[in-house]
Amino acid sequence: MSNEITFSGCDRRDFLFGLGASCGSVALSRLLADDARAAESSSPLAPRKAHLTAKARNIVFLLMEGGPSALDTFDPKTTLEKVHLQEFVREGKQKSAMESGKRYYVKSPFQFIKAGESGADMASNWSHLAKVADEICFYRGCQVDSVNHPTAMYQLNCGNRFGGDPGLGAWVTYGLGSLNQNLPGFVVLPEVSYPQGGAANWSNGYLPAHFQGTPLRPKGSPILDLMPPPGVTREQQRKNLDLLAKLNEAHAVEHPSQPELEARMTNYELAFRMQMQVPELLDLSNETAQTQAQYGIGQDATDAFGRKCLLARKLIEKGVRFVQLYNGSWDSHDYIERAHGNLVRGVDQPIAALIADLKQRGLLESTLIVWCGEFGRTPDNGVRGGIAYGRDHNPNAMTMWFAGGGCNAGHTVGATDELGMTAVEDEHHIRDLHVTLLRLMGLDDDKLTYYHAGRFKQLSQFGGEVIDKLMA
């Protein structure tokens, strides 16, 4: 006699299969959704325990959009001086008579120095950064997949060249939450013109909307409509929000699978709390004249980026988990001496001040600073109305540096070939950099996942390895 239990003519397997299309699955889904919403609604940005022991608890990401040239900043090549203006021919390829345009090697117009006790290579126009050289770990081995600005920006920020995925800051706040419930966990300081690829560079992607980056406008009101209109008191606002919350909660009960509604309700409350902290936070006049001068505020060349760097320090002090600063126009195809010279002049003093200020306040050890662009530059360039002393895009050799936050300060990791065209030592794909940054924050990329579109997704896309030499 069979032990198989039957229900109205169907066996147990058929019964359970049928249950998936019945009211039982609907009730179960509702219970699970209610539990998930209850878990998140308490505080989606509440601090969470890291997977591993963290070396840093905050990140300041300095993104030089356009792709700065390592050959003219932190990776000198004496060989370029020997072949300067010689025609470049790709190895193993004969140029066709029909091939238009010639390419020439271009030496760096800048002199280099050995900075600090570590003897770090720096172009001499980094006069302020040279003073904090021993706090920096330089990495010359990073490689990416794209030479197009938008796709390279997406890969750097989101791990995916085609956009639509969460940004690095979104992943960090998803994994660790925020240290201040009255401010966003992920703040972006863009320029007036957004970077190539736009706001998708700091999107929450498929993560809940709580984790998207909050951009602060560089001119005018940093956040539009943050403060109530004239004549509306905080008490009136509170009553309006309470009423709106009741209506939204009733709507949420009827629509349990709408996380956007939950995020909107949470953001209303966050905006209300931000009204008390943001104005004071953004007011730099409460900083001493000495501090402002240290960051270059008030000087034409350094004022804009100096304000961003000082604001980044204040955001870190207030517990913002991830702050990303943008500085554009590094796409120097022409006259790199003038282009990079002006750009370095604008960021050198503010960045050095940020490192020194964080260290003086005891915050550098727990704050990881990252400096990079979306790809590197070539040792050669084409002709545009005469020889253009600039450089083209290069995905095979990208130099970046780190300070604070458990990095291997005072060291240079990796190397490029004699011309700076390709990384040849400690070379790693950008996904390994992402995995390493997460590890410094105490996060394991293989555990920091989110179920979406039928699979568990992660920042590195398909996994990566930690670059151990970058960590102290």
Side-chain angles (χ1 to χ4, degrees):
M1 183 176 183
S2 174
N3 292 325
E4 189 74 17
I5 301 174
T6 60
F7 300 87
S8 301
C10 67
D11 61 24
R12 181 177 59 186
R13 181 176 300 172
D14 291 336
F15 172 77
L16 292 174
F17 180 81
L19 183 64
S22 70
C23 292
S25 66
V26 175
L28 178 60
S29 298
R30 174 62 177 273
L31 289 172
L32 293 174
D34 288 346
D35 289 344
R37 187 168 65 251
E40 285 192 1
S41 63
S42 59
S43 182
L45 290 175
R48 298 181 180 85
K49 186 177 180 180
H51 303 138
L52 306 160
T53 300
K55 295 179 179 290
R57 69 171 192 169
N58 308 88
I59 291 181
V60 176
F61 200 113
L62 308 171
L63 209 169
M64 308 293 108
E65 185 210 358
S69 167
L71 307 176
D72 305 289
T73 52
F74 307 116
D75 189 10
K77 296 297 176 183
T78 57
T79 303
L80 281 180
E81 298 179 11
K82 301 175 183 177
V83 298
H84 181 56
L85 298 187
Q86 291 184 20
E87 186 175 355
F88 166 79
V89 179
R90 191 175 299 279
E91 184 177 354
K93 176 184 177 182
Q94 297 296 319
K95 290 180 69 69
S96 166
M98 298 296 292
E99 190 173 353
S100 62
K102 293 183 178 180
R103 304 186 65 83
Y104 297 87
Y105 290 111
V106 177
K107 71 176 182 179
S108 177
F110 303 107
Q111 298 298 314
F112 279 76
I113 62 171
K114 294 287 186 179
E117 294 183 6
S118 59
D121 292 311
M122 284 192 188
S124 59
N125 55 337
W126 291 93
S127 57
H128 294 275
L129 195 67
K131 299 173 184 176
V132 293
D134 292 331
E135 305 294 343
I136 297 175
C137 174
F138 293 91
Y139 177 48
R140 295 172 174 168
C142 194
Q143 297 180 322
V144 296
D145 295 321
S146 178
V147 293
N148 294 316
H149 291 289
T151 52
M153 287 288 289
Y154 287 151
Q155 186 171 44
L156 172 66
N157 281 314
C158 310
N160 178 358
R161 284 178 287 166
F162 306 107
D165 281 10
L168 175 59
W171 277 113
V172 169
T173 50
Y174 166 65
L176 296 174
S178 178
L179 297 168
N180 187 335
Q181 299 304 294
N182 297 326
L183 292 171
F186 176 19
V187 173
V188 181
L189 305 178
E191 297 199 303
V192 175
S193 176
Y194 273 12
Q196 297 217 38
N201 284 293
W202 51 83
S203 169
N204 60 293
Y206 44 75
L207 294 177
H210 312 291
F211 305 110
Q212 65 184 316
T214 299
L216 300 183
R217 300 166 71 241
K219 291 186 177 180
S221 175
I223 300 178
L224 293 176
D225 303 320
L226 176 65
M227 304 307 293
V232 177
T233 66
R234 284 187 62 79
E235 290 74 18
Q236 290 172 319
Q237 270 193 304
R238 183 68 267 168
K239 290 179 180 179
N240 288 338
L241 285 174
D242 290 343
L243 174 60
L244 186 61
K246 291 181 180 179
L247 296 174
N248 282 333
E249 286 171 2
H251 189 67
V253 170
E254 298 178 4
H255 303 276
S257 300
Q258 299 297 323
E260 293 82 3
L261 177 60
E262 182 69 44
R264 187 179 306 153
M265 294 165 63
T266 304
N267 287 338
Y268 285 150
E269 292 294 333
L270 175 59
F272 181 73
R273 299 193 300 273
M274 286 170 62
Q275 290 177 359
M276 300 299 293
Q277 287 207 9
V278 168
E280 183 275 333
L281 178 64
L282 300 180
D283 182 9
L284 302 185
S285 65
N286 55 18
E287 297 288 332
T288 66
Q290 180 181 0
T291 297
Q292 294 188 51
Q294 181 183 2
Y295 280 86
I297 295 173
Q299 303 176 33
D300 290 342
T302 53
D303 184 80
F305 202 69
R307 290 178 180 275
K308 288 183 183 179
C309 287
L310 180 51
L311 179 55
R313 188 219 78 201
K314 297 184 69 173
L315 289 166
I316 291 299
E317 281 185 309
K318 291 293 185 179
V320 174
R321 184 73 74 176
F322 195 105
V323 184
Q324 188 172 49
L325 288 66
Y326 280 85
N327 183 260
S329 302
W330 289 84
D331 189 23
S332 301
H333 291 275
D334 303 301
Y335 305 105
I336 202 162
E337 180 176 14
R338 180 177 62 204
H340 268 40
N342 290 333
L343 290 164
V344 170
R345 194 174 301 114
V347 303
D348 175 36
Q349 181 177 348
I351 293 175
L354 175 63
I355 295 173
D357 199 8
L358 287 172
K359 184 174 183 179
Q360 184 269 328
R361 294 168 185 268
L363 293 171
L364 185 60
E365 185 177 349
S366 61
T367 303
L368 176 64
I369 300 176
V370 182
W371 183 97
C372 68
E374 65 267 36
F375 42 53
R377 314 296 297 194
T378 63
D380 67 298
N381 202 14
V383 176
R384 295 174 179 84
I387 296 174
Y389 296 92
R391 305 194 186 281
D392 283 335
H393 305 174
N394 184 8
N396 300 315
M398 176 177 166
T399 291
M400 55 186 61
W401 59 256
F402 316 90
C407 76
N408 193 12
H411 291 81
T412 296
V413 177
T416 56
D417 62 28
E418 63 178 4
L419 293 172
M421 177 66 83
T422 304
V424 294
E425 183 180 310
D426 292 309
E427 63 269 30
H428 285 269
H429 190 271
I430 190 72
R431 73 172 65 90
D432 294 341
L433 172 71
H434 290 153
V435 171
T436 305
L437 296 182
L438 292 179
R439 179 62 57 87
L440 286 167
M441 294 292 287
L443 294 170
D444 184 339
D445 175 69
D446 288 329
K447 295 179 180 178
L448 187 67
T449 62
Y450 191 85
Y451 190 77
H452 174 257
R455 68 180 178 89
F456 286 96
K457 295 185 177 180
Q458 60 199 108
L459 172 61
S460 66
Q461 301 295 322
F462 304 106
E465 61 178 305
V466 173
I467 309 173
D468 292 318
K469 291 183 179 181
L470 298 182
M471 302 192 302

